[in-house]
Amino acid sequence: MTAKKTASGLVSFFTKPKTFVAGAILGLVVATVVVTRFFLPAKEVVHEVETLSPSVVFERVVAQDELVCASQNYAIVDKATDTARLFDLIDLPWTTNSFWYRYCGTIKAGVNLQTAEFSQDEGDANKLTVTLDQPYVISNTPDMSKSGVLEERNNIFNSIDVSDVDAFQRQCIERSEQEVVDGGLYNEARANAEANLKAMFAAALGDQAELTVVFREA
């Protein structure tokens, strides 16, 4: 019986140290994880910043095709009259008809970016130049909810025809676009185009970029 107890005691003696060593290793691993996670400073995440060159910025601007720079609402109210003619030589006064018409819409002016040109000063890379064509009418959209005949005076000998209204509408479109020139909308479009392009280049390249906008002669 003494020999059995001695053997049992030897087994117990060599088993316990192994358990102790395994526990110590596990504790060391846990401690390392805790210290690393909560006490050591976190690694900074480095984000790559895209570096844009002036030519790349210009390409992205040109990709927009057109730049709307100014818009104006208009309302034209006028009277249209029509008189039948004999052999296209003599007016027949008893055949006169007339109508008052209001034509409303919105006209937008801008620049064509597809024809723009870009250059960079050889001596100073921050000095940039963009050359543009003169502004033009990008769109002239009627507001048919506000447009229409206000008053008409028809004539049984010469009734008002749809073609008469269509012809008057075409006159209103031409008149509205002429008023754009006379009213200075193109001047506003040039100023806004310059301001918008400078803002785009400054946002992409920083305040050190000096952009000059030049308009070609018409």
Side-chain angles (χ1 to χ4, degrees), residues 185-203:
L185 189 64
Y186 284 162
N187 293 333
E188 182 182 347
R190 277 188 286 268
N192 289 341
E194 181 176 357
N196 291 339
L197 288 173
K198 286 183 176 180
M200 291 178 190
F201 275 82

Side-chain angles (χ1 to χ4, degrees), residues 162-176:
V162 174
S163 61
D164 297 330
V165 178
D166 291 341
F168 183 78
Q169 287 179 344
R170 287 193 293 271
Q171 293 176 12
C172 289
I173 292 173
E174 294 174 0
R175 179 174 166 184
S176 66

Side-chain angles (χ1 to χ4, degrees), residues 59 82 120 133 144 182 189 209:
E59 289 175 0
D82 180 69
Q120 193 169 6
D133 285 340
M144 299 312 297
D182 298 338

Side-chain angles (χ1 to χ4, degrees), residues 82-136:
D82 180 69
T83 302
R85 296 172 64 86
L86 180 63
F87 304 117
D88 203 25
L89 295 172
I90 303 173
D91 289 340
L92 304 177
W94 63 87
T95 64
T96 299
N97 65 40
S98 64
F99 61 90
W100 283 91
Y101 195 91
R102 178 173 59 202
Y103 190 81
C104 302
T106 301
I107 194 165
K108 295 181 180 180
V111 293
N112 182 7
L113 297 175
Q114 289 296 316
T115 59
E117 293 180 351
F118 169 78
S119 63
Q120 193 169 6
D121 193 288
E122 295 181 357
D124 187 348
N126 289 323
K127 291 185 177 180
L128 315 171
T129 302
V130 171
T131 304
L132 301 170
D133 285 340
Q134 293 291 331
Y136 66 103

